[in-house]
Amino acid sequence: MQRVLLIIGGGIAAYKAPELVRQLRAQGLAVRCLLTAAAEQFVSPLSLASVSGDKVYENLFDLTEEAEMGHIQLSRDADIILVAPATADLMAKAAQGMANDLASTTLLATDKKIIMAPAMNVRMWQHEATQRNLAQLKKDGVSIIGPENGDMACGEFGPGRMSEPQDIAAETAALLAPNNTRAEAADLTGRKILVTAGPTHEPIDPVRYIANRSSGKQGYAIAAALAAAGAEVHLISGPTALDAPHDVQMTWVETARDMQAAVEAHLPVDAAVMTAAVADWRPAECKAQKIKKGQKIKDKERAPAPLDLVENPDILATLGAAKKNRPALLVGFAAETEDLETHALAKLQKKNCDWIVANNVALDSGIEGGVMGGDANAVTLISTKDAKAEIERFDIMSKHAVAALLATRMAAHFTPIEKTGNKGKAK
Ligand code: CTP
């Protein structure tokens, strides 16, 4: 499991630190907190110890702490250092290389990646000194998240509000993704890739439908990672609460049949990644009017009315069997609650895809918030080569990290277009 050292500065936004710890853990990351003396006025070490499940570090000059875990060791143990909230004071110290407390000493002693989420009064943020320090920190390789515009605790409006814990956690996880972050190392320039995501809704009547727990987060993260790697991405999404990812063309659909039609309309593509949790069945008929309780069916009062179901088309299997326009690389997902690899391998063969990403979607899968709806995933990648299954099992990681991993693998599968001019051909 990757580890974040969270340095909490002394600003009012420090009250969001426990929620930030929770969001980082939901991304599959381990968190250790370090509080500045001023931060202790805003958030209690005890609550941070409870949410992080680890000791909280506070003072450079605490001799016991130095003996047990010095500032060097603190940074050595972390994969990344996140400063949130990053106060004007902490930013100034880090920009100048000052080291007079545990937080600033750790920042100076580390060779790990540093991210800062600034939060301060709008005038402090806009002050030339802070802007100078910001420019220096960026030059030194520090990643900056935010600040956002908005109402601030001091009653003013403008830039200075700390970014939302969920966004900071997602960005941190993206920066920690294997094989370089956000698939920046992966090159899929010029490849056309189709991604399906989210659930489908199968209407029963004008107000009711059959659905499932899929949030669409994994598919959206994959679409974003592929686009970041230079691919031309078309995302066909069922109903979700998510914003469209950057640089991705979107088509919104409701039912499995709509999704299939949208997929067919966007062929040919070089690759397709089918993450959607397509409903396997739909009501045989969608009633024109709302079904009433106690409605008479065949002269009998029926409540609830029985639901006749018919099977939906299997979009992945149809693509896998297609004589025309079958993508050169077809990636399926297998949502399983038991016998993960056996079921996933059987699906790969039955639906004739090239790779399948299997995940355990049981509610007690050990992932906070569950796989369906949560921010983390633990996947197994099965790829066939010479009819022999290759199985790679990955530990819990954020959905962004899974996306970056897949983008990197897909880029490795294809020969970069600009180097060969060999458009559309897999290696
Ligand atoms: N899939 C699809 N169309 C369907 C059902 C599934 O395209 N009607 C795709 C999914 O997007 C996924 C893969 O097939 O890539 C496997 O989906 P999953 O729900 O795990 O499997 P099912 O085929 O529905 O089988 P089961 O519900 O029996 O596990």
Side-chain angles (χ1 to χ4, degrees):
M1 194 180 266
Q2 291 176 298
R3 307 189 68 94
V4 181
L5 176 65
L6 172 60
I7 297 182
I8 302 163
I12 179 70
Y15 83 90
K16 292 183 181 170
E19 174 59 14
L20 177 56
V21 173
R22 217 184 60 76
Q23 294 288 348
L24 288 164
R25 294 191 70 180
Q27 293 277 358
L29 303 169
V31 188
R32 171 169 284 163
C33 297
L34 190 166
L35 277 167
T36 64
E40 276 177 60
Q41 307 299 317
F42 295 97
V43 61
S44 95
L46 189 60
S47 57
L48 289 166
S50 317
V51 283
S52 67
D54 202 346
K55 182 174 160 47
V56 174
Y57 292 82
E58 296 167 53
N59 189 352
L60 177 61
F61 303 109
D62 181 324
L63 286 179
T64 336
E65 254 165 37
E66 262 304 297
E68 280 172 8
M69 166 72 80
H71 55 283
I72 306 286
Q73 194 60 32
L74 267 174
S75 92
R76 228 178 247 157
D77 276 2
D79 294 295
I80 201 161
I81 298 185
L82 169 62
V83 187
T87 57
D89 179 61
L90 259 178
M91 287 177 71
K93 280 182 183 165
Q96 302 306 314
M98 284 169 70
N100 58 0
D101 60 7
L102 184 55
S104 53
T105 311
T106 306
L107 286 170
L108 192 62
T110 191
D111 57 357
K112 299 290 165 58
K113 173 84 186 160
I114 298 172
I115 316 177
M116 290 192 173
M120 65 196 72
N121 166 275
V122 57
R123 278 174 235 293
M124 290 170 76
W125 174 251
Q126 285 167 342
H127 196 283
E128 278 148 24
T130 305
Q131 290 303 311
R132 249 192 337 265
N133 292 332
L134 176 70
Q136 183 61 51
L137 290 166
K138 283 185 179 166
K139 211 165 134 217
D140 294 344
V142 174
S143 289
I144 307 288
I145 305 174
E148 312 297 328
N149 274 309
D151 288 319
M152 284 183 286
C154 55
E156 295 192 64
F157 182 89
R161 212 172 65 164
M162 190 172 84
S163 298
E164 288 307 319
Q166 197 175 3
D167 298 336
I168 299 174
E171 188 75 11
T172 307
L175 283 165
L176 273 172
N179 299 318
N180 206 346
T181 58
R182 301 165 183 164
E184 274 158 9
D187 184 3
L188 286 161
T189 311
R191 297 285 170 196
K192 281 182 84 172
I193 306 181
L194 190 146
V195 180
T196 66
T200 61
H201 286 183
E202 308 295 332
I204 298 169
D205 66 19
V207 296
R208 303 179 178 98
Y209 56 82
I210 298 177
N212 58 61
R213 292 180 191 274
S214 169
S215 64
K217 285 181 184 173
Q218 184 63 81
Y220 278 54
I222 289 170
L226 294 171
E232 188 187 314
V233 181
H234 202 113
L235 175 60
I236 298 170
S237 173
T240 71
L242 305 173
D243 293 330
H246 283 302
D247 296 331
V248 165
Q249 299 165 53
M250 289 289 303
T251 299
W252 297 96
V253 295
E254 191 181 344
T255 67
R257 286 183 299 172
D258 295 344
M259 188 173 273
Q260 185 175 40
V263 166
E264 276 164 14
H266 289 95
L267 298 176
V269 289
D270 297 302
V273 184
M274 314 294 275
T275 73
V278 184
D280 291 322
W281 301 282
R282 67 177 183 276
E285 178 192 3
C286 170
K287 301 278 185 208
Q289 305 300 331
K290 187 181 170 202
I291 302 169
K292 304 300 290 178
K293 269 183 283 185
Q295 190 168 327
K296 283 200 171 163
I297 298 178
K298 293 192 189 134
D299 294 333
K300 272 190 172 162
E301 288 230 339
R302 304 284 287 266
L307 207 54
D308 284 334
L309 299 176
V310 292
E311 205 167 332
N312 266 329
D314 192 312
I315 308 168
L316 176 60
T318 310
L319 261 192
K323 296 263 182 301
K324 200 175 149 223
N325 284 342
R326 184 194 184 281
L329 179 62
L330 184 56
V331 184
F333 265 66
E336 307 296 343
T337 56
E338 56 177 0
D339 296 334
L340 187 76
E341 289 171 17
T342 316
H343 284 317
L345 192 55
K347 261 177 209 172
L348 182 145
Q349 287 159 354
K350 194 170 135 210
K351 303 195 185 202
N352 191 34
C353 41
D354 303 299
W355 301 351
I356 201 150
V357 182
N359 56 2
N360 181 354
V361 293
L363 283 175
D364 61 355
S365 59
I367 293 177
E368 194 179 322
V371 168
M372 288 191 135
D375 294 315
N377 208 348
V379 301
T380 298
L381 176 62
I382 307 182
S383 49
T384 47
K385 216 183 239 173
D386 305 328
K388 195 172 129 257
E390 292 193 349
I391 300 188
E392 286 180 278
R393 301 169 186 94
F394 296 95
D395 211 353
I396 294 180
M397 55 178 130
S398 72
K399 288 184 176 174
H400 289 282
V402 171
L405 177 76
L406 191 64
T408 310
R409 290 299 157 88
M410 289 176 71
H413 177 83
F414 285 108
T415 312
I417 284 171
E418 74 271 46
K419 285 185 195 136
T420 61
N422 194 9
K423 191 166 171 28
K425 286 229 172 92
K427 261 194 245 175

